[in-house]
Amino acid sequence: MHTLHQAVAQCRTLVLEGPDDIGRSGLLGELARHGFLIRRAREQLQQVDPTRPYRELLAAPGLLAVDGSIIHELVYGPLRRGHSRVTWIQALDFAEAVAERDGALVHLTSPQIRDAESAEATSAYERAFRTLTRHVPVVTVDVSGLSPPVRGPASSSPFQLGRCTGKLTVG
């Protein structure tokens, strides 16, 4: 599986992961229009078992898209606090749970690097997904190529539902 279109067609579960402020809402909206139930885990990860809320989300029936933060914690925990609250064993178990649910991780990227932290985060995400791809399919999506989300009913807008002509860039 190499493209987001293939992932949408073949997967029951998609977990979106990427740097801060990458703009997930448009893609989550599109997945909702394709029949995916959109879920987010609680803001704060639990101390004892930070992956538990995600495993509970994966128990839901049907198509599921999760706005993830497990990989986010692996990346930003060390950058901001010096350590991650998620262990690699927990992250690998989570990846395998996603794969068992006929799922994939969606690695959201953008060529825009704002500062030193975002450059380090970009590199850390690449390393994390290289490791996780041994346990779960990973689809990389460049969000800079996605069309803007629909904000309201616009009668002749080229971005109206079902008439979006923008191309998706997948890396």
Side-chain angles (χ1 to χ4, degrees):
M1 173 174 359
H2 299 299
T3 68
L4 183 60
H5 298 294
Q6 289 172 323
V8 168
Q10 296 174 11
C11 294
R12 287 188 325 130
T13 309
L14 297 173
V15 179
L16 279 62
E17 290 276 5
D20 288 343
D21 303 324
I22 194 130
R24 294 171 174 78
S25 59
L27 183 52
L28 288 168
E30 281 299 312
L31 291 172
R33 285 186 276 286
H34 280 87
F36 283 82
L37 177 65
I38 307 301
R39 288 288 182 242
R40 290 178 177 90
R42 289 173 257 173
E43 293 297 317
Q44 293 294 324
L45 294 175
Q46 296 177 355
Q47 293 294 349
V48 176
D49 185 1
T51 61
R52 181 177 174 202
Y54 292 93
R55 286 195 314 275
E56 291 171 357
L57 289 176
L58 294 178
L63 298 174
L64 179 65
V66 178
D67 187 3
S69 68
I70 298 293
I71 314 313
H72 184 276
E73 176 61 26
L74 281 175
V75 168
Y76 285 102
L79 290 176
R80 294 180 178 162
R81 289 184 310 283
H83 70 282
S84 175
R85 294 173 290 188
V86 174
T87 67
W88 271 103
I89 290 176
Q90 290 169 324
L92 294 172
D93 285 346
F94 175 70
E96 289 174 356
V98 171
E100 287 171 5
R101 198 181 188 284
D102 302 321
L105 298 178
V106 179
H107 176 197
L108 303 176
T109 65
S110 174
Q112 181 183 10
I113 295 181
R114 298 175 307 277
D115 54 28
E117 182 185 75
S118 71
E120 287 183 53
T122 297
S123 178
Y125 269 108
E126 290 171 3
R127 286 190 309 273
F129 280 108
R130 250 192 330 268
T131 300
L132 293 170
T133 197
R134 297 180 206 146
H135 301 273
V136 64
V138 174
V139 178
T140 301
V141 177
D142 179 350
V143 297
S144 65
L146 297 177
S147 300
V150 176
R151 296 265 182 232
S155 58
S156 62
S157 169
F159 299 110
Q160 195 168 7
L161 287 177
R163 296 166 61 190
C164 181
T165 58
K167 298 233 179 195
L168 176 67
T169 305
V170 178

